[in-house]
Structure formats: structure tokens, C-alpha cells
Amino acid sequence: MINPFVEEIALQVSHATNMPADEVRALLETPPRPEMGDRALPCFALAKTLRKAPHLIARELAAQMATGGRISEVRPTGPYLNFFLSKTHLIAETLWAILDQGAEYGRGDEGVGKTVVIDFSHPNIAKPFGIHHLRSTVIGNALRNIYRALGYKVVGVNHLGDWGAQFAKLILAWNYWGEGELTADITIQKLLELYVRIHEEIEDKPELEREARAWFRRLEAGDEEAVRMWRVCVEASFKEFDRVYKMLDIGFESIAGESFYQDKMPAVLAQLREQGLLTQSEGASIVDLEAWDMPPFIALRSDDATLYGTRDLAALMYRWKTYRFEKLLYVVDVAQSLHFRQLFQVLELMKCDWREKCVHVQFGRLRFKDGGGASTRRGNVIFLEDVLHRAIELTRQIMADKNPDLPNREQIARDVGIGAIIFADLDSKRVRDIAFDWDEVLNFNGETGPYVQYTHARYCSVLRRYAGPLPPRDVNFELLNETEAVEVVKCLARFPDQIQKAADEYEPAAITALMVELCVVANRFYNAHQVLSGRADLTAARVALVYAIKTVLASGLALLGMKAPEQM
RNA sequence: GGGGCAUUAGCUCAGUUGGAUAGAGCACUGGUCUCCGGAACCAGAGGUCACAGGUUCGAAUCCUGUAUGUCCCA
């Protein structure tokens, strides 16, 4: 989506300097303070080509700019050429666009006819849905919404960890300590206990390790009993995952776990061999990556155990064949970055010219302030479900205190409590580790999820009290000239660009940041001006602004995967 | 040992890809309400952008080295 105001500036400058409009657009920036203008052209870059001092260029260019339309004033300030946008144009164009398009505002069509595959969440079967899966799940889901808003066909893939030696260990454990036949009634909690217990046992009696391996071979060979027990574990796990996904309101277009690619690995190995990429080393078949300063990619190990590298390669091939994606995003922990660098390098060696379409969207890890990490083997896991319930419970308490007579309280408590968790995760940029601190996550004051939802609910309340039709037509936008209102409009106008940025950088935090900014200016406006005033025309104009705020907040929250309750 | 990522206010984080006086929230101190939702708003205080060099008109941002944290690799 093109910003008509930026376009206008770019064209005018381009005309005056013979610089391509694209280059001008790239140079434009926003001045640090609003009094200085709305957009600025730094003239340093021009100084070299024009062989003139930047401040002189700014002065000369200022004289050549036409004002009166979208641009109201052009002012040279030192080496900067500062543009002031016409408030009237800006307000009218932005608000009309939002009032017209409603929830469609900010969406784009760059992705029409293209597919983006997003691999996210991927919890492990027979293990609890721990809080360490939160990030991938929430970031991936937000990206799914964002790309969809730009017109892409999005395929969200849940690449479940449903294959591996841990199942053999579980089967072994059940055979030792389980009662009767293993059925899908078994809880994850129970499976986890078995898993922890067998691990302790193996430490004492290493011979159990061999037994487990034997079971795993049976499983891989398709042994009836082994496969049946494996299937039970998968089924039992799904029950728990579904519960969490329902709470988060997240879905997938494709659920294809590791087991799905079991039979697709030989073909990949054959191709590697054919292309002469495999070499032998210590009994294993590897792809040598020394030329790229990386350890070898292990395609096949000496003990013929399964390898997730080869499996990932098989998954990649399958996805390319199936979807012909424009992009394939792996929303995976930063700890896996070497693995993906190797994987993509192998792709290149295999002459897959679509290698550049594959991206590891990495993110930092959750750190716990009290030092307690999360290790499944030792059993000290923080369950995501517990975290969500705790947030919901706190929300209930706050609501009982602030708004005890609300209808539909239970649903709202869920929307807000879960929203707080999601927002806390998406609030800072992906690459950073997140310091998870209960006091901070459950503090709903300041720039938080509940703050954004509150602002939305507050304005919904204003709109409920407004008697006229929504959105109001026949609005005199001139009446919105106060600085507080103009600041809101400027923020609203940035929404489309920000969605684009979030997609380009795979960074949902771009949306979060804009939401907070919008709430700050919106609340400032609320505090400074009475929306429902005695004057009909003024009220209509302000209601139009409020309606636009509400619309964009609701859209933004939806992109983040959060609910926008009308009361809370 | 080799490599990746990070380091900005007491804490948690922004910083528009090299530009103008480095910004928010939490916590702290003080203030705003006869009025549409106080989960709000305003103000104050809080900084050697880890450290040292380099690149240039100009560096929190780029390059080199060092330190610290964290993860990965046999």
C-alpha cells in the first residue's frame, strides 16, 4: 500500500533533482520532533552529487517545492529539508480510508497468488506443552495473520515432534510400570512421570538403553505393537495440545509431524548420493561443509538412528513440491541457528535455486528470573496452560474489583488474561531473550496488552453512548485541528506501513509498538477533549476519529492474535 | 578450543537501517477528575549507549579488538 503523502514528496523532489523517486523515498525520514515537520529530506547524500553544501541544497530545493495540496509548507532547517503535510488533507484522507475500508484498512495485495509456509509451534508429543513453546507459537501465529493481511495464502504448519527415541523409552517404561494396556486415556502428566522415571532408571542401569534402542528399531520397522503404543501417545498428546490451541485460538492449515516424513527420507538420501555430496566419516554419511566454516551435515549415522537433519531436508523438499512457496519461515529458537545454516547450505549444494526463500525466523529464549530453567528430563516444566490460567485468574480478580457487574465476565477474563501473555511475548523484538517475570507479566498497568485492550474498550464505550449512526457521514474534518487529534491521525496513517514492515522483517513487535503508540496518543486525546460535546458537528468529527481509532486497534489486536473485547 | 546472538536509565525495553537535544513503560516522587471507563492523563528525577581504537561532514547504529552474559558444535 502506497502512502500518497510520501509519494507526493518523492515525486516533487525527484522532479527537482533528477533523482529517481524510489531513491528519494528511501532517504525520507521522520524528524525527531513534530514541530520540525512531518517528513524530512537529509541533503547530505545530495551534497556529493551536486557538489554543494547540504544547507544550500536544502534552501534551493525549498524554493522549488509546490505547496498548497498535500504539502502545506516546506522549510529548510540547516542541512534538512522539512516537509509539513497539510493537516486537512491528512486527516480527511486517512479517516476516509479507515471509515470506508473498516477492518480492511491497512491490508495489501502484494501477496495475492503467492504462498507463504510458516513452520511454527511444533510441540513434542508425549511431552507437556511447556512455556518454552509459547514464543514460537505466538510469533508464528502473528506472522500468519500479518502475511494473510497482505494477501498471501498462508499455510501454517505444525511440525510436531512425534518421532524419535523418546517413544521407545516410553514404551519401555510402560512395559515395566504401566498397568494393563496403554490407552489414550492416559494423561500427559502420567507420560511425563514415566519419561522422567525411565531416565533416572537408565542412569543406574545402562543396559536399559539397549532395550530402548531395540524398541525403537521395532517402531521404525513398523512393528504392530510398537506402532500401536506410539499412536496412543500421539492421540493422548493431541488432546492436551488442542486444549491449549483452543485457549489461544490458534489453528493450522497442516499438521504433519516428523513421522510424516519417515518414508520420504530415502529419496533425499538418494539424491544427495547421486549429486556426489555424501562422504564417509567415522562410519557416518556426511555432507562436508568445511568450506563454509561449519561442522558437517550428518545425513546418516553409523548406528542408523534417525536424524532430524535428513528429516528436515525431506520436509523442505516436500513443502517445495507441494506449495511452491514464495517464502518458507521457520519460527524456531535461536539455539537451532547452526542447524538451519547447515540445512540451507546443503540446499544450495543440491542446486535448489529456491534456497533464498527459506528463512530461519529465530527468536531469543525465555529466561526465568528466579533461575529455574525448564528441563523436561528432570520434570520441572512450567506448563503453558498453567501460565494462561494464572493470568486469567488474576484478570478475574482485577475485574471483580474494577467492573464487578460486567456480563460475560468469564470470556472477557480469558480474552484479557491470555492477551496479556501474548502481548508480553510480542512486545520486544524477537532476537532478544525474554526475562520472564511473573510480577511484570501480571502487572497490567503501563504499556501492556490490557492497556491496549482497555483503550479499545474505553472507546467502544464512548461509541455506545453516541446516538447517531456509525460511522458518521458528512463530517467536517477541519474541526479535528487540535494537536492531540492530529497526532492520533498521524499514528493511524502509519498502520499500513507498519504491517508491511512487520512482514518484511518477520517482526510482530512492529505492530505491538504501533499499538502502544496509538494508545498513548489516543488516551492523551481522550483526556484533552470531550468526544460527546454539545455541538453536533464537533461531536460527529470526533466520533469519526474515535471510530477510526477503535477500528485500527481492533485490527492490530487481531493481527497479534489477541481479542478485542468491547468491555472489560 | 571454534562459532552465533546479545550488552542503551535501578528493572524491562524502543531507537525509523549512518543524521537534528538518545526515548517509553515499571518502580520512585509530586500532580490531574463537577466531564464520555483512573487498567487513564500530566510533571519530576533517573544516561560515559559495556570498554578501547578505527572509518567520515556526522556513530547507540558500520569495522577491529577486549570484557561480560547466553546458546550452539566434536
Side-chain angles (χ1 to χ4, degrees), chain A residues 161 182 301 320 365 500 502:
Chain A
L182 180 62
R301 252 175 21 193
W320 173 248
R365 319 186 93 194
Q500 187 66 55

Side-chain angles (χ1 to χ4, degrees), chain A residues 215-263:
Chain A
W215 270 108
F216 189 52
R217 271 194 292 276
R218 284 176 68 177
L219 183 60
E220 292 220 293
D223 173 88
E224 200 178 316
E225 189 185 357
V227 169
R228 193 195 68 79
M229 289 175 85
W230 167 76
R231 208 161 263 151
V232 166
C233 290
V234 172
E235 212 175 303
S237 301
F238 255 97
K239 275 194 215 157
E240 159 143 346
F241 297 165
D242 272 349
R243 228 168 38 234
V244 174
Y245 287 133
K246 214 164 274 170
M247 285 179 87
L248 292 168
D249 194 18
I250 287 177
F252 298 87
E253 282 66 41
S254 163
I255 297 179
E258 295 177 332
S259 62
F260 179 78
Y261 301 102
Q262 245 345 70
D263 61 354

Side-chain angles (χ1 to χ4, degrees), chain A residues 25 41 83 114 122 128 240 277 282 318 348 382 421 426 446 483 534 558:
Chain A
R25 207 178 301 126
L41 177 75
F83 294 84
K114 298 176 186 161
H122 38 246
E240 159 143 346
L277 296 171
E282 295 167 36
Y318 173 83
E348 200 168 312
I382 301 176
I421 300 290
L426 298 179
T483 44

Side-chain angles (χ1 to χ4, degrees), chain A residues 52-71:
Chain A
K52 225 179 271 180
H55 69 279
L56 290 177
I57 297 172
R59 213 182 299 164
E60 282 169 27
L61 279 178
Q64 295 178 57
M65 298 294 117
T67 56
R70 289 188 170 117
I71 302 170

